[in-house]
């Protein structure tokens, strides 16, 4: 009888602990989502951040790094200083100016000021959509392969960043609140607002130090109603991801001295 009583008590204790753990986990999730909503982030979008690891996790990090092809992209998440290194060139932002360093003149084809943080923004989705100075609006959903994806439009207050007229729309899966699509405008060259949106499908994700970050993205064509149809170019794959709480020295982001 004693053995039966002990087993019974243990069973009750285990069930009680499980319920308590589940309640604490649920309370923690609700608290995190509530704190994100308090930053004027819509409740549904707060759930998207939570699904991808949560803003608390994101804000605890100092450095984000990844490779795109031969390029290694590294960013300080607090200052947004950035370096892009490749075999023939490197470029970056040291906090005050954008710089370019080439092995031979003409090795880099493009505009460093436009490019240095371009893929950082694509890679750091959806978390960069919680930056200061953002305005959130509900957007029309898009449909693809029988699934409706709700969306939120992200715009910026005046004088925020180098392209404050850029707009983004993040679309998420309504079942699991995972980000699935990103629509964005480019106003860097024109310096004027635009209604012409490019569209990216976030095809694959992976866990990087408790953040769910993209492993592959694919640009898509749209029909006359703005709905995605088929890929418009080959996918871009991200490799060697790193999300770290260790801070890099400021000198890391400076232009190399000859």
């Amino acid at each position: 009888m004693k053995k039966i009583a002990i087993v019974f008590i243990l069973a009750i204790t285990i069930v009680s602990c499980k319920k308590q753990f589940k309640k604490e986990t649920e309370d923690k999730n609700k608290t995190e989502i509530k704190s994100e909503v308090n930053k004027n982030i819509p409740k549904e979008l707060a759930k998207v951040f939570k699904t991808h690891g949560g803003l608390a996790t994101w804000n605890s990090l100092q450095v984000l790094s990844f490779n795109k092809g031969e390029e290694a992209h590294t960013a300080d998440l607090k200052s947004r200083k950035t370096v892009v290194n490749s075999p023939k060139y490197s470029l970056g932002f040291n906090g005050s100016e954008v710089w370019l360093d080439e092995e031979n003149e003409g090795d880099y084809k493009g505009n460093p000021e436009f490019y240095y943080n371009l893929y950082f923004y694509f890679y750091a989705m959806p978390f960069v959509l919680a930056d200061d100075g953002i305005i959130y609006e509900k957007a029309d959903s898009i449909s693809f392969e029988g699934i409706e994806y709700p969306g939120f439009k992200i715009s910026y207050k005046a004088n925020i960043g180098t392209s404050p007229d850029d707009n983004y729309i993040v679309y998420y899966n309504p079942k699991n609140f995972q980000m699935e699509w990103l629509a964005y405008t480019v106003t860097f060259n024109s310096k004027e607002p635009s209604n012409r949106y490019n569209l990216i499908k976030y095809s694959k994700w992976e866990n990087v130090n408790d953040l769910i970050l993209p492993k592959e993205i694919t640009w898509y064509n749209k029909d006359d109603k703005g709905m995605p149809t088929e890929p418009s170019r080959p996918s871009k794959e991200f490799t060697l991801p790193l999300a770290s709480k260790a801070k890099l020295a400021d000198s890391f982001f400076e232009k190399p001295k000859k």
Side-chain angles (χ1 to χ4, degrees), residues 114-167:
F114 173 72
Y115 187 75
Y116 81 90
N117 65 351
L118 178 66
Y119 276 90
F120 165 76
Y121 264 80
F122 292 152
Y123 186 73
M125 291 288 168
F127 298 105
V128 288
L129 301 183
D131 285 349
D132 293 335
I134 282 179
I135 302 168
Y136 300 98
E137 302 173 69
K138 189 74 175 176
D140 293 336
S141 62
I142 60 172
S143 177
F144 184 70
E145 295 183 344
I147 300 177
E148 291 282 330
Y149 296 95
F152 278 93
K153 179 182 177 182
I154 286 85
S155 55
Y156 294 85
K157 296 177 182 178
N159 302 318
I160 298 295
T162 56
S163 300
D165 290 324
D166 280 353
N167 291 320

Side-chain angles (χ1 to χ4, degrees), residues 48 52 142 144 147 149-150 170-174 176-182 199-205 218:
V48 175
H52 284 265
I142 60 172
F144 184 70
I147 300 177
Y149 296 95
V170 58
Y171 299 97
Y172 61 91
N173 189 309
N176 59 13
F177 288 91
Q178 180 167 285
M179 178 180 172
E180 296 276 355
W181 299 88
L182 176 72
L199 187 62
I200 296 176
K201 179 172 176 54
Y202 279 71
S203 311
K204 297 178 182 178
W205 298 90
T218 309

Side-chain angles (χ1 to χ4, degrees), residues 55-84:
L55 289 178
T57 302
W58 170 255
N59 290 330
S60 72
L61 299 171
Q62 295 286 341
V63 172
L64 188 67
S65 179
F66 61 91
N67 278 30
K68 181 187 74 71
E70 291 186 327
E71 292 179 344
H73 296 240
T74 305
D76 182 302
L77 296 179
K78 307 307 180 186
S79 66
R80 296 296 167 85
K81 296 178 181 180
T82 306
V83 165
V84 179

Side-chain angles (χ1 to χ4, degrees), residues 15-83:
V15 170
S16 177
C17 288
K18 284 184 177 179
K19 287 182 177 179
Q20 181 64 24
F21 177 78
K22 182 179 179 182
K23 183 179 183 302
E24 289 176 355
T25 302
E26 289 176 347
D27 289 345
K28 180 182 177 183
N29 290 345
K30 288 178 181 178
T31 300
E32 289 185 4
I33 289 175
K34 184 179 179 181
S35 68
E36 292 169 8
V37 173
N38 287 343
K39 294 180 179 180
N40 298 319
I41 297 173
K43 182 171 66 174
E44 297 90 341
L45 194 54
K47 291 181 180 180
V48 175
F49 291 128
K50 179 61 184 172
T51 295
H52 284 265
L55 289 178
T57 302
W58 170 255
N59 290 330
S60 72
L61 299 171
Q62 295 286 341
V63 172
L64 188 67
S65 179
F66 61 91
N67 278 30
K68 181 187 74 71
E70 291 186 327
E71 292 179 344
H73 296 240
T74 305
D76 182 302
L77 296 179
K78 307 307 180 186
S79 66
R80 296 296 167 85
K81 296 178 181 180
T82 306
V83 165

Side-chain angles (χ1 to χ4, degrees), residues 193-230:
S194 171
N195 290 320
R196 184 177 179 274
Y197 281 88
N198 301 285
L199 187 62
I200 296 176
K201 179 172 176 54
Y202 279 71
S203 311
K204 297 178 182 178
W205 298 90
E206 62 182 331
N207 189 310
V208 182
N209 201 6
D210 295 330
L211 293 181
I212 306 303
L213 296 172
K215 187 176 178 63
E216 183 180 275
I217 59 175
T218 309
W219 274 261
Y220 264 68
N221 289 321
K222 299 178 294 180
D223 62 19
D224 55 2
K225 295 181 179 180
M227 300 297 132
T229 54
E230 72 283 320

